[in-house]
Coordinates of all heavy atoms in Angstrom, one line a residue:
M1 N 28.2 -9.1 12.5 CA 27.4 -7.9 12.5 C 27.4 -7.2 11.2 O 28.4 -6.9 10.7 CB 27.9 -7.0 13.7 CG 27.1 -5.7 13.9 SD 27.7 -4.6 15.1 CE 27.7 -5.6 16.6
D2 N 26.3 -6.8 10.8 CA 26.2 -6.0 9.4 C 26.5 -4.5 9.7 O 26.6 -4.1 10.9 CB 24.9 -6.3 8.8 CG 23.7 -6.0 9.7 OD1 23.9 -5.6 10.8 OD2 22.5 -6.0 9.1
V3 N 26.5 -3.8 8.6 CA 26.9 -2.4 8.7 C 25.7 -1.6 9.5 O 26.0 -0.7 10.3 CB 27.0 -1.8 7.3 CG1 27.3 -0.3 7.3 CG2 28.3 -2.5 6.7
V4 N 24.4 -1.9 9.1 CA 23.3 -1.2 9.8 C 23.3 -1.3 11.3 O 23.2 -0.5 12.0 CB 22.0 -1.7 9.2 CG1 20.9 -1.0 9.8 CG2 21.9 -1.4 7.6
A5 N 23.6 -2.6 11.7 CA 23.7 -2.8 13.2 C 24.9 -2.1 13.8 O 24.7 -1.6 14.9 CB 23.7 -4.4 13.5
A6 N 26.1 -2.1 13.1 CA 27.1 -1.5 13.6 C 26.9 0.1 13.7 O 27.3 0.7 14.8 CB 28.4 -1.7 12.7
I7 N 26.3 0.6 12.8 CA 25.9 2.2 12.9 C 25.0 2.4 14.0 O 25.1 3.2 14.8 CB 25.3 2.6 11.6 CG1 26.4 2.6 10.4 CG2 24.7 3.9 11.7 CD1 25.9 2.9 9.1
D8 N 24.0 1.5 14.2 CA 23.0 1.6 15.4 C 23.7 1.5 16.7 O 23.4 2.3 17.5 CB 22.0 0.6 15.2 CG 20.8 0.8 16.2 OD1 20.4 2.0 16.4 OD2 20.2 -0.3 16.7
L9 N 24.6 0.5 16.8 CA 25.4 0.3 18.1 C 26.2 1.5 18.3 O 26.3 2.0 19.5 CB 26.2 -1.0 18.0 CG 27.1 -1.3 19.2 CD1 26.2 -1.4 20.4 CD2 27.9 -2.5 19.0
S10 N 26.9 2.0 17.3 CA 27.8 3.3 17.4 C 27.0 4.4 17.9 O 27.4 5.3 18.8 CB 28.6 3.6 16.2 OG 27.7 4.0 15.2
R11 N 25.8 4.6 17.4 CA 24.9 5.8 17.7 C 24.5 5.6 19.2 O 24.4 6.5 20.0 CB 23.7 5.8 16.8 CG 24.0 6.4 15.5 CD 22.8 6.6 14.7 NE 23.1 7.1 13.3 CZ 22.4 6.9 12.2 NH1 21.3 6.3 12.2 NH2 22.9 7.5 11.2
T12 N 24.1 4.4 19.6 CA 23.7 4.0 21.0 C 24.9 4.4 21.9 O 24.6 4.9 23.0 CB 23.2 2.6 21.1 OG1 22.2 2.4 20.1 CG2 22.8 2.3 22.6
T13 N 26.1 4.0 21.5 CA 27.3 4.2 22.4 C 27.5 5.7 22.5 O 27.9 6.2 23.6 CB 28.5 3.5 21.7 OG1 28.2 2.1 21.7 CG2 29.7 3.7 22.6
V14 N 27.5 6.4 21.5 CA 27.7 7.9 21.5 C 26.7 8.6 22.4 O 27.0 9.5 23.1 CB 27.8 8.5 20.1 CG1 27.8 9.9 20.1 CG2 29.0 8.0 19.3
R15 N 25.5 8.1 22.2 CA 24.4 8.7 23.1 C 24.7 8.5 24.6 O 24.5 9.3 25.4 CB 23.0 8.0 22.7 CG 21.8 8.7 23.4 CD 20.5 8.1 22.9 NE 20.3 7.9 21.5 CZ 20.2 6.8 20.8 NH1 20.0 5.7 21.5 NH2 20.1 6.7 19.6
R16 N 25.2 7.2 24.8 CA 25.4 6.9 26.2 C 26.7 7.7 26.8 O 26.7 8.2 27.9 CB 25.8 5.4 26.4 CG 26.1 4.9 27.8 CD 25.0 5.1 28.8 NE 23.7 4.7 28.4 CZ 22.6 5.0 29.0 NH1 22.6 5.7 30.1 NH2 21.4 4.5 28.6
I17 N 27.7 7.9 25.9 CA 28.7 8.8 26.2 C 28.2 10.2 26.5 O 28.8 10.9 27.6 CB 29.8 8.8 25.1 CG1 30.5 7.5 25.0 CG2 30.9 9.9 25.3 CD1 31.4 7.2 23.9
R18 N 27.4 10.8 25.7 CA 26.9 12.1 26.0 C 26.1 12.2 27.2 O 26.2 13.2 28.1 CB 25.9 12.6 24.9 CG 26.8 12.9 23.6 CD 26.0 13.2 22.4 NE 26.7 13.6 21.3 CZ 26.3 13.4 20.0 NH1 25.1 13.1 19.7 NH2 27.2 13.8 19.1
I19 N 25.3 11.2 27.6 CA 24.5 11.1 28.8 C 25.5 11.1 30.1 O 25.3 11.8 31.0 CB 23.6 9.9 28.9 CG1 22.5 10.1 27.9 CG2 23.0 9.6 30.3 CD1 21.6 8.9 27.6
N20 N 26.5 10.2 30.0 CA 27.5 10.2 31.1 C 28.2 11.6 31.2 O 28.4 12.0 32.3 CB 28.6 9.1 30.7 CG 28.0 7.8 31.0 OD1 27.1 7.5 31.7 ND2 28.6 6.8 30.5
F21 N 28.6 12.2 30.1 CA 29.2 13.6 30.1 C 28.2 14.6 30.7 O 28.8 15.4 31.5 CB 29.5 14.0 28.7 CG 30.4 15.3 28.7 CD1 31.6 15.3 29.1 CD2 29.7 16.4 28.1 CE1 32.4 16.5 29.0 CE2 30.5 17.5 27.9 CZ 31.7 17.6 28.4
V22 N 27.0 14.5 30.4 CA 26.0 15.6 31.1 C 26.0 15.4 32.6 O 26.0 16.3 33.4 CB 24.6 15.5 30.4 CG1 23.7 16.2 31.3 CG2 24.7 16.0 29.0
W23 N 26.0 14.0 33.0 CA 25.8 13.8 34.4 C 27.2 14.3 35.2 O 27.0 14.7 36.2 CB 25.6 12.3 34.7 CG 24.2 11.9 34.6 CD1 23.6 11.1 33.6 CD2 23.0 12.3 35.5 NE1 22.2 10.9 33.8 CE2 21.9 11.7 34.9 CE3 23.1 13.0 36.6 CZ2 20.7 11.9 35.6 CZ3 21.8 13.3 37.2 CH2 20.7 12.7 36.7
A24 N 28.3 14.0 34.4 CA 29.6 14.4 35.1 C 29.6 15.9 35.2 O 30.0 16.5 36.2 CB 30.8 14.0 34.2
I25 N 29.1 16.7 34.2 CA 29.0 18.2 34.3 C 28.2 18.6 35.5 O 28.6 19.4 36.3 CB 28.6 18.7 32.9 CG1 29.7 18.7 32.0 CG2 28.2 20.3 33.1 CD1 29.3 19.1 30.5
L26 N 27.0 18.1 35.5 CA 26.2 18.4 36.7 C 26.7 18.0 38.0 O 26.6 18.8 38.9 CB 24.6 17.8 36.4 CG 23.9 18.2 35.2 CD1 22.7 17.3 35.1 CD2 23.5 19.7 35.3
Y27 N 27.3 16.8 38.1 CA 27.8 16.4 39.2 C 29.0 17.4 39.7 O 29.1 17.7 40.9 CB 28.3 15.0 39.0 CG 28.7 14.3 40.3 CD1 27.7 13.6 41.1 CD2 30.1 14.1 40.8 CE1 28.1 12.9 42.1 CE2 30.4 13.3 41.8 CZ 29.4 12.7 42.5 OH 29.6 12.1 43.7
N28 N 29.9 17.8 38.8 CA 30.9 18.7 39.2 C 30.4 20.1 39.4 O 31.0 20.8 40.3 CB 31.9 18.7 38.0 CG 32.8 17.4 38.1 OD1 33.1 16.9 39.1 ND2 33.1 16.9 36.8
L29 N 29.4 20.5 38.8 CA 28.8 21.9 39.1 C 28.3 22.0 40.5 O 28.3 23.1 41.1 CB 27.7 22.2 38.0 CG 28.1 22.7 36.7 CD1 27.0 22.9 35.7 CD2 29.0 24.0 36.7
I30 N 27.8 20.9 40.9 CA 27.3 20.9 42.3 C 28.5 20.6 43.3 O 28.6 21.3 44.4 CB 26.2 19.8 42.5 CG1 25.0 20.2 41.6 CG2 25.8 19.6 44.0 CD1 24.0 19.1 41.5
G31 N 29.3 19.6 42.9 CA 30.3 19.2 44.0 C 31.5 20.1 44.1 O 32.0 20.3 45.3
L32 N 31.9 20.7 43.1 CA 33.2 21.5 43.1 C 33.0 22.9 44.0 O 33.9 23.0 44.8 CB 33.7 21.9 41.8 CG 34.3 20.9 41.0 CD1 34.7 21.2 39.6 CD2 35.5 20.3 41.7
P33 N 31.9 23.6 43.9 CA 31.7 24.6 44.9 C 31.7 24.2 46.4 O 32.3 25.0 47.2 CB 30.5 25.3 44.4 CG 30.2 24.9 43.0 CD 30.9 23.6 42.9
I34 N 31.1 23.1 46.5 CA 30.9 22.6 48.0 C 32.4 22.1 48.4 O 32.8 22.4 49.6 CB 30.0 21.4 48.1 CG1 28.5 21.8 47.8 CG2 30.1 20.8 49.5 CD1 27.6 20.8 47.7
A35 N 33.2 21.5 47.6 CA 34.5 21.1 48.0 C 35.5 22.3 48.0 O 36.3 22.2 48.9 CB 35.1 20.1 46.9
A36 N 35.2 23.4 47.4 CA 36.1 24.6 47.5 C 35.8 25.3 48.6 O 36.5 26.4 49.0 CB 35.9 25.4 46.2
G37 N 34.6 25.1 49.3 CA 34.3 25.8 50.6 C 33.4 27.1 50.3 O 33.3 28.0 51.2
V38 N 32.8 27.1 49.2 CA 32.0 28.3 48.9 C 30.8 28.5 49.8 O 30.3 29.5 50.2 CB 31.6 28.3 47.4 CG1 30.6 29.4 47.1 CG2 32.8 28.3 46.4
L39 N 30.3 27.3 50.1 CA 29.1 27.3 51.1 C 29.5 27.1 52.5 O 28.6 26.9 53.3 CB 28.3 26.1 50.6 CG 27.7 26.2 49.1 CD1 26.8 25.0 48.8 CD2 26.8 27.4 48.9
S40 N 30.8 27.2 52.9 CA 31.1 27.2 54.3 C 30.4 28.2 55.2 O 30.1 27.9 56.3 CB 32.6 27.3 54.4 OG 33.3 26.2 53.9
P41 N 30.3 29.5 54.8 CA 29.6 30.5 55.6 C 28.1 30.0 55.9 O 27.6 30.5 57.0 CB 29.5 31.7 54.8 CG 30.7 31.6 53.8 CD 30.8 30.2 53.5
V42 N 27.5 29.3 55.2 CA 26.2 28.8 55.3 C 26.2 27.5 56.3 O 25.1 27.1 56.8 CB 25.4 28.4 54.1 CG1 24.0 28.0 54.2 CG2 25.6 29.6 53.1
G43 N 27.3 27.0 56.4 CA 27.5 25.8 57.2 C 27.6 24.4 56.4 O 27.5 23.4 57.1
I44 N 27.7 24.6 55.2 CA 27.8 23.4 54.4 C 29.3 23.2 54.0 O 29.8 24.0 53.3 CB 26.9 23.4 53.0 CG1 25.4 23.6 53.5 CG2 27.1 22.2 52.3 CD1 24.5 23.8 52.4
S45 N 29.8 22.2 54.5 CA 31.3 21.8 54.1 C 31.5 20.4 53.8 O 30.5 19.5 54.1 CB 32.2 22.1 55.3 OG 32.0 21.4 56.4
L46 N 32.5 20.0 53.1 CA 32.7 18.7 52.7 C 33.9 18.1 53.4 O 35.0 18.6 53.2 CB 32.9 18.7 51.1 CG 32.9 17.4 50.4 CD1 31.5 16.7 50.5 CD2 33.3 17.6 48.9
Q47 N 33.6 17.0 54.1 CA 34.7 16.3 54.9 C 35.5 15.5 53.7 O 34.9 15.1 52.7 CB 34.2 15.5 56.0 CG 33.5 16.3 57.1 CD 34.4 17.2 57.8 OE1 35.6 17.0 58.0 NE2 33.9 18.4 58.1
P48 N 36.8 15.3 54.1 CA 37.5 14.4 53.0 C 36.9 13.0 52.8 O 36.8 12.5 51.6 CB 38.9 14.2 53.7 CG 39.0 15.4 54.6 CD 37.7 15.7 55.2
W49 N 36.3 12.3 53.7 CA 35.7 11.1 53.6 C 34.4 11.2 52.6 O 34.1 10.3 51.9 CB 35.3 10.4 54.8 CG 34.2 11.0 55.7 CD1 34.5 12.0 56.6 CD2 32.9 10.8 55.5 NE1 33.2 12.3 57.2 CE2 32.2 11.7 56.5 CE3 32.0 10.0 54.8 CZ2 30.8 11.7 56.7 CZ3 30.7 10.0 54.9 CH2 30.1 10.9 55.9
M50 N 33.7 12.4 52.8 CA 32.6 12.7 51.9 C 33.0 12.8 50.5 O 32.3 12.3 49.6 CB 31.8 13.9 52.4 CG 31.1 13.8 53.7 SD 30.5 15.3 54.1 CE 29.8 15.1 55.7
A51 N 34.1 13.5 50.3 CA 34.7 13.7 48.9 C 35.1 12.4 48.3 O 34.8 12.1 47.1 CB 35.9 14.6 49.0
A52 N 35.7 11.5 49.1 CA 36.2 10.2 48.6 C 34.9 9.3 48.2 O 34.8 8.6 47.2 CB 36.9 9.4 49.6
A53 N 33.8 9.5 49.0 CA 32.6 8.7 48.7 C 32.0 9.3 47.5 O 31.4 8.5 46.7 CB 31.7 8.8 49.9
A54 N 32.0 10.6 47.3 CA 31.4 11.2 46.2 C 32.2 10.9 44.9 O 31.6 10.5 43.8 CB 31.4 12.7 46.3
M55 N 33.5 10.7 44.9 CA 34.2 10.3 43.8 C 33.9 8.8 43.5 O 33.8 8.5 42.2 CB 35.7 10.5 43.9 CG 36.1 11.9 44.0 SD 37.9 12.0 44.1 CE 38.5 11.2 42.7
A56 N 33.8 8.0 44.5 CA 33.5 6.6 44.2 C 32.1 6.4 43.6 O 31.9 5.6 42.7 CB 33.5 5.8 45.5
F57 N 31.1 7.3 44.2 CA 29.8 7.1 43.6 C 29.8 7.6 42.2 O 29.0 7.0 41.3 CB 28.8 8.0 44.4 CG 27.4 8.0 43.8 CD1 26.7 6.9 44.0 CD2 27.0 9.2 43.2 CE1 25.3 7.0 43.5 CE2 25.8 9.2 42.7 CZ 24.9 8.1 42.9
S58 N 30.5 8.6 41.8 CA 30.6 9.1 40.4 C 31.1 8.1 39.5 O 30.6 7.8 38.5 CB 31.5 10.3 40.4 OG 31.7 10.7 39.1
S59 N 32.2 7.4 39.9 CA 32.8 6.3 39.1 C 31.8 5.2 38.9 O 31.7 4.6 37.8 CB 34.0 5.8 39.6 OG 35.0 6.9 39.7
V60 N 31.2 4.7 40.0 CA 30.2 3.6 39.9 C 29.0 3.9 39.1 O 28.6 3.1 38.3 CB 29.9 3.2 41.4 CG1 28.8 2.2 41.4 CG2 31.0 2.6 42.1
S61 N 28.6 5.2 39.2 CA 27.3 5.5 38.4 C 27.7 5.5 36.9 O 26.9 5.1 36.1 CB 26.8 7.0 38.8 OG 27.8 7.9 38.6
V62 N 28.9 6.0 36.5 CA 29.3 6.0 35.1 C 29.5 4.5 34.6 O 29.1 4.2 33.5 CB 30.6 6.7 34.9 CG1 31.3 6.4 33.5 CG2 30.4 8.3 35.1
L63 N 30.1 3.7 35.5 CA 30.2 2.3 35.2 C 28.8 1.6 34.9 O 28.7 0.9 33.9 CB 30.8 1.5 36.4 CG 31.1 0.0 36.2 CD1 32.1 -0.3 35.1 CD2 31.3 -0.7 37.5
F64 N 27.9 1.8 35.8 CA 26.6 1.1 35.6 C 25.9 1.7 34.3 O 25.1 1.1 33.7 CB 25.7 1.3 36.8 CG 26.0 0.4 38.0 CD1 26.2 0.8 39.3 CD2 26.2 -0.9 37.7 CE1 26.6 -0.1 40.3 CE2 26.5 -1.9 38.7 CZ 26.6 -1.4 40.0
S65 N 26.0 3.0 34.2 CA 25.5 3.6 33.0 C 26.0 3.0 31.7 O 25.3 2.8 30.8 CB 25.7 5.2 33.0 OG 25.2 5.8 31.8
S66 N 27.2 2.8 31.7 CA 27.9 2.2 30.5 C 27.6 0.6 30.4 O 27.5 0.2 29.3 CB 29.5 2.3 30.6 OG 29.8 3.7 30.6
L67 N 27.3 0.0 31.4 CA 26.9 -1.3 31.4 C 25.6 -1.6 30.8 O 25.2 -2.6 30.3 CB 27.0 -2.0 32.8 CG 28.3 -2.4 33.3 CD1 28.2 -2.9 34.7 CD2 28.9 -3.4 32.5
L68 N 24.7 -0.5 30.7 CA 23.5 -0.6 30.0 C 23.6 -0.8 28.6 O 22.6 -1.3 28.0 CB 22.7 0.8 30.4 CG 22.1 1.0 31.7 CD1 21.5 2.4 31.8 CD2 21.1 -0.1 32.0
L69 N 24.8 -0.6 28.0 CA 25.1 -0.9 26.7 C 25.0 -2.4 26.4 O 24.8 -2.8 25.2 CB 26.4 -0.4 26.2 CG 26.4 1.1 26.0 CD1 27.9 1.5 25.7 CD2 25.6 1.5 24.8
K70 N 25.1 -3.3 27.4 CA 25.0 -4.6 27.2 C 23.6 -5.1 26.9 O 23.3 -6.1 26.4 CB 25.5 -5.3 28.5 CG 27.0 -5.3 28.7 CD 27.5 -6.1 29.7 CE 27.7 -7.4 29.3 NZ 28.5 -8.3 30.1
R71 N 22.6 -4.3 27.3 CA 21.2 -4.6 26.9 C 20.8 -4.3 25.4 O 19.7 -4.5 25.0 CB 20.3 -3.7 27.9 CG 20.5 -4.1 29.3 CD 19.7 -3.3 30.2 NE 18.3 -3.4 29.8 CZ 17.3 -2.6 30.3 NH1 17.6 -1.6 31.1 NH2 16.1 -2.7 29.9
W72 N 21.8 -3.6 24.7 CA 21.5 -3.3 23.3 C 21.3 -4.6 22.5 O 22.0 -5.6 22.6 CB 22.6 -2.6 22.7 CG 22.5 -2.3 21.2 CD1 21.8 -1.3 20.7 CD2 23.0 -2.9 20.1 NE1 21.8 -1.2 19.3 CE2 22.5 -2.3 18.9 CE3 23.7 -4.2 19.9 CZ2 22.8 -2.8 17.7 CZ3 24.0 -4.6 18.7 CH2 23.6 -3.9 17.5
K73 N 20.2 -4.6 21.7 CA 19.9 -5.7 20.8 C 19.8 -5.3 19.4 O 19.4 -4.2 19.1 CB 18.5 -6.2 21.2 CG 18.4 -6.8 22.7 CD 19.0 -8.1 22.7 CE 18.6 -8.6 24.2 NZ 19.6 -9.4 24.7
K74 N 20.3 -6.2 18.6 CA 20.2 -5.9 17.1 C 18.9 -5.9 16.7 O 18.0 -6.8 17.0 CB 21.1 -6.9 16.4 CG 21.1 -6.8 14.9 CD 22.0 -7.9 14.4 CE 21.8 -7.9 12.7 NZ 22.5 -8.9 12.2
R75 N 18.5 -4.9 16.0 CA 17.1 -4.7 15.4 C 16.9 -5.9 14.4 O 17.7 -6.1 13.5 CB 16.8 -3.4 14.8 CG 16.9 -2.3 15.9 CD 16.6 -1.0 15.3 NE 16.7 0.1 16.3 CZ 16.6 1.3 16.0 NH1 16.5 1.7 14.8 NH2 16.9 2.2 16.9
P76 N 15.7 -6.4 14.4 CA 15.4 -7.5 13.3 C 15.4 -6.9 11.9 O 15.1 -5.8 11.8 CB 14.0 -7.9 13.6 CG 13.4 -6.9 14.5 CD 14.5 -6.2 15.2
R77 N 15.9 -7.6 11.0 CA 15.9 -7.1 9.6 C 14.7 -7.1 9.0 O 13.8 -7.9 9.1 CB 16.9 -8.2 8.8 CG 17.0 -7.7 7.3 CD 17.8 -8.6 6.6 NE 19.2 -8.1 7.0 CZ 20.4 -8.8 6.4 NH1 20.2 -9.8 5.7 NH2 21.5 -8.2 6.8
V78 N 14.4 -5.9 8.4 CA 13.1 -5.7 7.6 C 13.2 -6.1 6.2 O 14.1 -5.7 5.6 CB 12.7 -4.2 7.8 CG1 11.3 -4.0 7.0 CG2 12.6 -3.8 9.1
V79 N 12.3 -7.1 5.9 CA 12.3 -7.6 4.4 C 11.4 -6.7 3.7 O 10.1 -6.6 4.0 CB 11.9 -9.0 4.4 CG1 12.0 -9.6 3.0 CG2 12.9 -9.9 5.3
L80 N 11.8 -6.2 2.6 CA 11.0 -5.3 1.7 C 10.2 -6.2 0.9 O 10.7 -7.2 0.4 CB 11.9 -4.3 0.9 CG 12.8 -3.4 1.7 CD1 13.6 -2.6 0.9 CD2 11.9 -2.5 2.5
A81 N 9.0 -5.7 0.6 CA 8.1 -6.4 -0.4 C 8.6 -6.4 -1.8 O 9.1 -5.3 -2.2 CB 6.7 -5.9 -0.2
T82 N 8.7 -7.5 -2.4 CA 9.1 -7.4 -3.8 C 7.9 -7.7 -4.8 O 6.9 -8.3 -4.4 CB 10.1 -8.6 -4.1 OG1 9.6 -9.8 -3.7 CG2 11.4 -8.3 -3.2
P83 N 8.0 -7.3 -6.0 CA 6.8 -7.5 -6.9 C 6.7 -9.0 -7.2 O 7.7 -9.8 -7.0 CB 7.2 -6.8 -8.2 CG 8.3 -5.8 -7.8 CD 8.9 -6.4 -6.6
S84 N 5.6 -9.4 -7.5 CA 5.3 -10.9 -7.7 C 6.1 -11.4 -8.8 O 6.5 -10.8 -9.7 CB 3.8 -11.1 -8.0 OG 3.5 -10.6 -9.2
S85 N 6.4 -12.7 -8.7 CA 7.2 -13.4 -9.7 C 6.6 -13.5 -11.0 O 7.2 -13.8 -12.0 CB 7.7 -14.7 -9.1 OG 6.6 -15.5 -8.9
S86 N 5.3 -13.2 -11.1 CA 4.6 -13.5 -12.3 C 4.8 -12.4 -13.4 O 4.4 -12.4 -14.5 CB 3.1 -13.6 -12.1 OG 2.6 -12.4 -11.5
M87 N 5.5 -11.2 -12.9 CA 5.7 -10.2 -13.8 C 6.8 -10.4 -14.8 O 7.7 -11.2 -14.5 CB 6.2 -8.9 -12.9 CG 5.1 -8.3 -12.1 SD 5.7 -6.8 -11.3 CE 6.4 -5.8 -12.8
T88 N 6.6 -10.0 -15.9 CA 7.6 -10.2 -17.0 C 8.8 -9.2 -16.8 O 8.6 -8.1 -16.2 CB 7.0 -10.1 -18.4 OG1 6.5 -8.7 -18.4 CG2 5.9 -11.1 -18.5
S89 N 9.9 -9.6 -17.3 CA 11.0 -8.6 -17.2 C 11.0 -7.4 -18.1 O 11.7 -6.5 -17.9 CB 12.3 -9.5 -17.7 OG 12.2 -9.8 -19.0
G90 N 9.9 -7.2 -18.9 CA 9.8 -6.1 -19.8 C 8.9 -5.1 -19.2 O 8.4 -4.1 -19.9
S91 N 8.3 -5.3 -17.9 CA 7.4 -4.4 -17.3 C 8.1 -3.1 -16.9 O 9.3 -3.1 -16.7 CB 6.8 -5.0 -16.0 OG 7.8 -5.2 -15.1
T92 N 7.3 -2.1 -16.9 CA 7.9 -0.7 -16.6 C 7.8 -0.5 -15.1 O 7.2 -1.2 -14.3 CB 7.0 0.3 -17.3 OG1 5.7 0.4 -16.8 CG2 7.0 0.1 -18.8
Y93 N 8.5 0.6 -14.7 CA 8.5 1.0 -13.3 C 7.2 1.2 -12.8 O 6.8 0.8 -11.7 CB 9.4 2.3 -13.1 CG 9.5 2.8 -11.8 CD1 10.3 2.2 -10.9 CD2 8.7 3.8 -11.4 CE1 10.4 2.7 -9.6 CE2 8.8 4.4 -10.2 CZ 9.7 3.8 -9.3 OH 9.8 4.3 -8.0
S94 N 6.2 2.0 -13.5 CA 4.9 2.2 -13.0 C 4.1 1.0 -12.9 O 3.2 0.8 -12.0 CB 4.3 3.3 -13.9 OG 4.0 2.7 -15.2
Q95 N 4.3 0.0 -13.7 CA 3.5 -1.3 -13.6 C 3.9 -2.0 -12.5 O 3.1 -2.6 -11.7 CB 3.8 -2.2 -14.9 CG 3.0 -1.6 -16.1 CD 3.5 -2.5 -17.4 OE1 4.6 -3.0 -17.3 NE2 2.7 -2.3 -18.4
A96 N 5.3 -2.0 -12.0 CA 5.8 -2.7 -11.0 C 5.1 -2.1 -9.6 O 4.8 -2.9 -8.7 CB 7.3 -2.7 -11.0
H97 N 5.1 -0.8 -9.5 CA 4.5 -0.3 -8.3 C 3.0 -0.3 -8.3 O 2.5 -0.1 -7.1 CB 5.0 1.3 -8.2 CG 6.5 1.3 -7.8 ND1 7.0 0.5 -6.9 CD2 7.5 2.2 -8.2 CE1 8.3 0.7 -6.6 NE2 8.7 1.8 -7.5
S98 N 2.3 -0.4 -9.3 CA 0.9 -0.6 -9.3 C 0.5 -1.9 -8.7 O -0.6 -2.0 -8.1 CB 0.3 -0.4 -10.7 OG 0.6 -1.4 -11.5
L99 N 1.3 -2.9 -8.7 CA 1.0 -4.2 -8.2 C 1.3 -4.3 -6.7 O 0.7 -5.1 -6.0 CB 1.9 -5.2 -8.8 CG 1.7 -5.5 -10.3 CD1 2.7 -6.5 -10.9 CD2 0.3 -6.1 -10.5
V100 N 2.1 -3.4 -6.2 CA 2.4 -3.4 -4.7 C 1.4 -2.9 -3.8 O 0.6 -2.2 -4.2 CB 3.7 -2.7 -4.4 CG1 4.1 -2.7 -3.0 CG2 4.9 -3.3 -5.2

């Protein structure tokens, strides 16, 4: 793996970590008040089996989200155009770019 591909993969990995972190924050912002019983007066409570299922779902969702990294593909290498070989070695910078 070349350096460009490694940097691209690391950026993709960090992006996935941030996505997982945001989902975890949202999940906990919703789940913790329910688990603490804040919504009990309204009639919404969390049974222990529901809490266990919610934790398992959280772990599985992070796992599947992380497995999406396996779909990462190395981008094809872009070959830059070079001046034609008929140019002499004494040509100037402006002459080289006028041919492109």
Side-chain angles (χ1 to χ4, degrees):
M1 178 183 300
D2 58 353
V3 174
V4 175
I7 290 172
D8 187 42
L9 178 59
S10 68
R11 286 182 180 158
T12 304
T13 302
V14 169
R15 188 178 314 120
R16 182 56 53 188
I17 289 169
R18 287 181 180 151
I19 290 170
N20 286 340
F21 185 68
V22 168
W23 278 112
I25 287 174
L26 293 174
Y27 195 79
N28 286 323
L29 284 175
I30 294 169
L32 285 176
I34 295 172
V38 172
L39 299 177
S40 291
V42 184
I44 299 174
S45 63
L46 192 64
Q47 300 295 324
W49 67 270
M50 293 177 186
M55 286 184 66
F57 177 74
S58 174
S59 298
V60 169
S61 66
V62 168
L63 174 74
F64 282 132
S65 176
S66 298
L67 284 175
L68 288 174
L69 286 172
K70 291 186 90 165
R71 297 177 59 195
W72 179 82
K73 299 282 187 214
K74 181 178 170 183
R75 293 181 186 176
R77 178 176 280 179
V78 177
V79 178
L80 299 175
T82 58
S84 65
S85 60
S86 64
M87 287 186 51
T88 61
S89 62
S91 63
T92 63
Y93 178 79
S94 61
Q95 290 172 339
H97 285 323
S98 65
L99 294 175
V100 177

